[in-house]
Amino acid sequence: MKYYSTNGQAPLATLEKAVVKGLAEDRGLYMPERINRLPQEFFDDIASMTFQDVAYNVASAFFGEDIDLDALNDIVRSTLSFDCPLVRVTDNIYSLELFHGPTLAFKDVGARFMARMLGYFRSEEQINVLVATSGDTGSAVANGFLDVPGIHVYVLYPKGKVSPIQECQFTTLGRNITAVEVDGVFDDCQRLVKSAFMDEELNRRMHLTSANSINVARFLPQAFYYFWAYAQALRLGFARRQLVVSVPSGNFGNLCSALFGVRMGLPIHRFIAANNANDVFYNYLQTGRYEPRASVQTIANAMDVGDPSNMARILDLYEYDHEAICRHISGAAYSDEQIADTMRLCLAETGYVLDPHGACGYRALQEQLQPNEVGIFLETAHPAKFKERVDKILGIEVPIPDRLAAFMKGQKQSTPMSAEFQDFRAFLMAQ
Ligand SMILES: *Cc1c(COP(=O)(O)O)cnc(C)c1O
């Protein structure tokens, strides 16, 4: 399988090149040339399969031509060392809990998979991974890559804009993980990373790659848990009704992987892209115009993205057909106040504790579900990751899981950085 660039100006790439380079030469995002449909027997059997078996089938359809199948099987199994259970919240709304991994957010799936695949393709020279984070990516990537031989990770995060618990998860590790605290917003971090990839001299010297959801090895594996959600819906006996999946979205890697799943035959009827106040996608649905702008800070901070990188993939997948996109995906956008209200109401009515990101997904289902539909929202992070905020909103004490508490014992180490590329470049050249 070859990978093409969404900008159409770069040569086709092998899987190895797409994974090792991250971004194409023309700054486009790599897309697989074909999306293989999974055979009917797979869907006939899916309800009796394990999560790992489901994921291995999906992974083979994407990567099976280009990687040894036994190695791929090992990568899938060691990535998915935790479950993604589907939990009933109301009669017609279920939560797909994606926070049972080591850093308690869905990004563990993609980050762990990518670390293992990069390890598989690694050559003699050290690879340097650059990752911009608004919170969860940094922790998932740092932990996914910790102590992987031959790989060094630089995590760029906006100063004062990630929660203290999130910050501990990538600034206390040390070893092959360097945290860089940027005086700016998330979009500045993302711009620094993109500029570094475009700098030829820097690339020659450092073998740079990206672990943001622009990397195919990070975003495609996220399709695994949508198939697993469907398998669980079959077991719970409601998969015959029309399934609507609501995805709390920032950079749109998560939603985009689900759209690939649908092209592979996954019977999800439609999607909702749930946003916070950063509503460029919501506006695109209303107007047909995509107008990126600076992100604003919200209480669902991992979704504070003003220029979602995977928009390029969504537009490419639908051949820039705005109507087709609107038929499949509807939007929602919520203020901090609406998010907090939703969290309080959900706790009062159902006993379920939402985190601020999942709350956007839940509310969108409450508002938009039709009588013949069943909704699944993605609970993208554990509420304890945002403990100060969640406790204050709900007036309760969210218990901190042990694996999260362990991070908070470490010593914070990070390098302060301006938002100017020249400063970041000089820092990297000195490494
Ligand atoms: C990253 C993240 C999101 C947004 O996911 P995208 O794939 O960037 O759209 C939502 N919720 C949480 C908790 C996240 O960490």
Side-chain angles (χ1 to χ4, degrees), residues 243-264:
L243 297 181
V244 180
V245 176
S246 178
V247 186
S249 294
N251 254 324
F252 282 79
N254 207 353
L255 175 59
C256 197
S257 67
L259 301 175
F260 275 73
V262 170
R263 299 286 169 103
M264 296 168 86

Side-chain angles (χ1 to χ4, degrees), residues 105-107 136 248-254 302-303 355 357 380-381 386:
F106 81 89
K107 292 186 175 78
D136 286 340
S249 294
N251 254 324
F252 282 79
N254 207 353
M303 290 155 45
D355 95 294
H357 307 81
T380 47
F386 316 96

Side-chain angles (χ1 to χ4, degrees), residues 269-289:
H269 182 60
R270 64 184 184 94
F271 292 93
I272 307 176
N275 286 137
N276 56 25
N278 294 280
D279 55 2
V280 285
F281 185 80
Y282 180 75
N283 289 334
Y284 165 77
L285 293 177
Q286 317 301 314
T287 65
R289 284 189 306 276

Side-chain angles (χ1 to χ4, degrees), residues 36-264:
N36 296 322
R37 272 189 94 78
L38 288 160
Q40 187 53 46
E41 305 85 74
F42 168 70
F43 291 102
D44 293 342
D45 293 346
I46 193 170
S48 58
M49 293 166 94
T50 64
F51 183 21
Q52 294 172 336
D53 288 339
V54 169
Y56 174 67
N57 276 275
V58 177
S60 316
F62 286 132
F63 307 120
E65 297 168 23
D66 304 304
I67 173 169
D68 173 73
L69 287 178
D70 288 333
L72 183 60
N73 199 4
D74 289 344
I75 292 172
V76 168
R77 274 162 217 286
S78 72
T79 297
L80 301 178
S81 55
F82 51 90
D83 194 14
C84 297
L86 190 61
V87 174
R88 183 183 169 284
V89 179
T90 72
D91 282 345
N92 59 352
I93 299 181
Y94 289 76
S95 169
L96 183 64
E97 293 186 346
L98 302 179
F99 55 69
H100 296 275
T103 72
L104 298 93
F106 81 89
K107 292 186 175 78
D108 281 326
V109 174
R112 288 165 65 83
F113 189 93
M114 180 185 163
R116 286 158 176 76
M117 189 171 256
L118 203 55
Y120 174 83
F121 284 129
R122 185 172 69 91
S123 58
E124 299 301 293
E125 313 196 49
Q126 170 163 310
I127 293 177
N128 292 289
V129 173
L130 300 185
V131 59
T133 185
S134 54
D136 286 340
T137 304
S139 45
V141 168
N143 286 276
F145 282 82
L146 186 63
D147 291 332
V148 175
I151 299 179
H152 196 98
V153 178
Y154 295 87
V155 180
L156 283 75
Y157 69 104
K159 182 177 175 181
K161 297 194 173 60
V162 303
S163 81
I165 293 177
Q166 284 178 321
E167 193 174 11
C168 286
Q169 287 184 306
F170 52 80
T171 58
T172 59
L173 297 167
R175 308 215 275 268
N176 63 330
I177 312 296
T178 301
V180 180
E181 186 173 23
V182 176
D183 195 357
V185 294
F186 170 71
D187 295 298
D188 293 313
C189 301
Q190 188 144 278
R191 180 176 44 77
L192 291 179
V193 167
K194 282 191 178 167
S195 301
F197 291 132
M198 291 306 125
D199 189 306
E200 271 176 40
E201 191 191 351
L202 204 54
N203 268 278
R204 255 197 318 279
R205 244 180 93 142
M206 295 200 67
H207 301 281
L208 298 179
T209 192
S210 156
N212 280 94
S213 50
I214 55 179
N215 197 302
V216 293
R218 230 204 82 192
F219 106 92
L220 287 171
Q222 298 175 157
F224 298 162
Y225 45 72
Y226 292 93
F227 285 88
W228 181 230
Y230 174 65
Q232 294 178 80
L234 281 169
R235 286 186 203 168
L236 293 167
F238 66 83
R240 285 190 195 289
R241 289 162 69 191
Q242 293 190 323
L243 297 181
V244 180
V245 176
S246 178
V247 186
S249 294
N251 254 324
F252 282 79
N254 207 353
L255 175 59
C256 197
S257 67
L259 301 175
F260 275 73
V262 170
R263 299 286 169 103
M264 296 168 86

